[in-house]
Amino acid sequence: MERPTVSILPWVIGLVVAGLTVSAVASLALDPSAGDGAATLVAGFGVQMVAVAVVCVLLAHHSLAFRRTRFDFLWLLFGVLPIGSLLLAIPAILSDPVYFDATSPPGFWSTLALHAVLILVGALFGPLLWFFILMPVSQLVGGVVALARGEKPPVFRFVTPIVMLALAAFILLGAGALDLGAALPGRFAAPQIVLAMLGLPGSYVVASPLLLWVCRGILLALLVAFLGSWWARRREAHAG
């Protein structure tokens, strides 16, 4: 039996309109230098990332429902939204050329190019936001709804998203807890993270002791959950 085909174009139109509205407010109404450029980050990186992540949610929903999705929305998501956000960045740059180091034509064009890169990176991070945050949250909500209906969803429907959210929290909080600027990039940074988690000396700098302890707690909880699951399966195997 052929799967039905659906279109998410109306949803994407709403996303693009909302995204451009947020970009317009962040670019035109907010101080671009406030919060170390938070408005610029939201207008470029954040809007594109969230839009792509929400589209991933819609695609996954229809895929699980055995429905095919028409890709007639791509020109909006990867054309209208990024170009519109980039155009909205122009008045923001011109309003504070000193902050953006755009007092000369080369500086202006290089700043605009950096905005374009920021938007591109936001689009690339969209699937990660969906995978680590939105998908686990939707699974948890679905499990809670199933319980409310009197159903008995499998345990993994709750365990898996909780583990995914814990990993996301560990990564995000760890980025704020440690300053690895003194460590070498790439594979050399990993040992510094391990040393920090164990409280051993290294070339890292603790930016937030509280966040570091929270990360240690998350890591400990994940290890306990993993070992508990392994022990339970081992006992079941021996009992069988």
Side-chain angles (χ1 to χ4, degrees):
M1 182 178 179
E2 187 177 355
R3 294 189 299 172
T5 302
V6 297
S7 175
I8 61 172
L9 186 60
W11 290 94
V12 177
I13 291 175
L15 276 174
V16 170
V17 171
L20 290 177
T21 302
V22 172
S23 291
V25 172
S27 300
L28 305 177
L30 300 180
D31 183 4
S33 61
D36 198 19
T40 302
L41 191 64
V42 170
F45 177 85
V47 166
Q48 193 70 37
M49 178 180 65
V50 172
V52 172
V54 173
V55 168
C56 288
V57 171
L58 296 173
L59 292 175
H61 171 73
H62 288 301
S63 178
L64 291 174
F66 298 100
R67 293 191 292 261
R68 291 188 299 178
T69 305
R70 286 199 294 267
F71 290 93
D72 51 356
F73 60 88
L74 293 178
W75 65 279
L76 281 169
L77 184 63
F78 297 113
V80 174
L81 181 58
I83 293 175
S85 298
L86 189 62
L87 292 176
L88 288 170
I90 294 177
I93 297 172
L94 295 177
S95 67
D96 197 347
V98 176
Y99 172 75
F100 287 106
D101 195 18
T103 54
S104 63
F108 169 80
W109 289 112
S110 62
T111 302
L112 195 62
L114 287 175
H115 276 73
V117 172
L118 198 64
I119 293 171
L120 175 61
V121 173
L124 295 176
F125 269 74
L128 294 178
L129 175 64
W130 164 72
F131 185 78
F132 283 103
I133 305 295
L134 298 185
M135 184 177 68
V137 169
S138 64
Q139 289 177 343
L140 281 177
V141 171
V144 172
V145 171
L147 285 176
R149 291 175 177 173
E151 302 174 7
K152 293 183 178 180
V155 177
F156 74 85
R157 193 167 180 179
F158 296 95
V159 174
T160 303
I162 289 175
V163 170
M164 295 297 296
L165 290 173
L167 286 174
F170 177 80
I171 294 171
L172 294 175
L173 295 177
L178 298 176
D179 181 7
L180 300 174
L184 294 176
R187 61 187 179 91
F188 294 98
Q192 298 302 319
I193 297 175
V194 175
L195 292 175
M197 291 299 110
L198 296 176
L200 300 175
S203 60
Y204 62 89
V205 175
V206 178
S208 174
L210 176 60
L211 290 181
L212 182 58
W213 277 107
V214 172
C215 289
R216 288 169 177 164
I218 293 174
L219 185 60
L220 180 61
L222 289 173
L223 289 174
V224 170
F226 173 77
L227 292 175
S229 176
W230 171 80
W231 180 254
R233 287 198 301 267
R234 188 169 181 269
R235 290 188 61 183
E236 289 178 0
H238 282 293

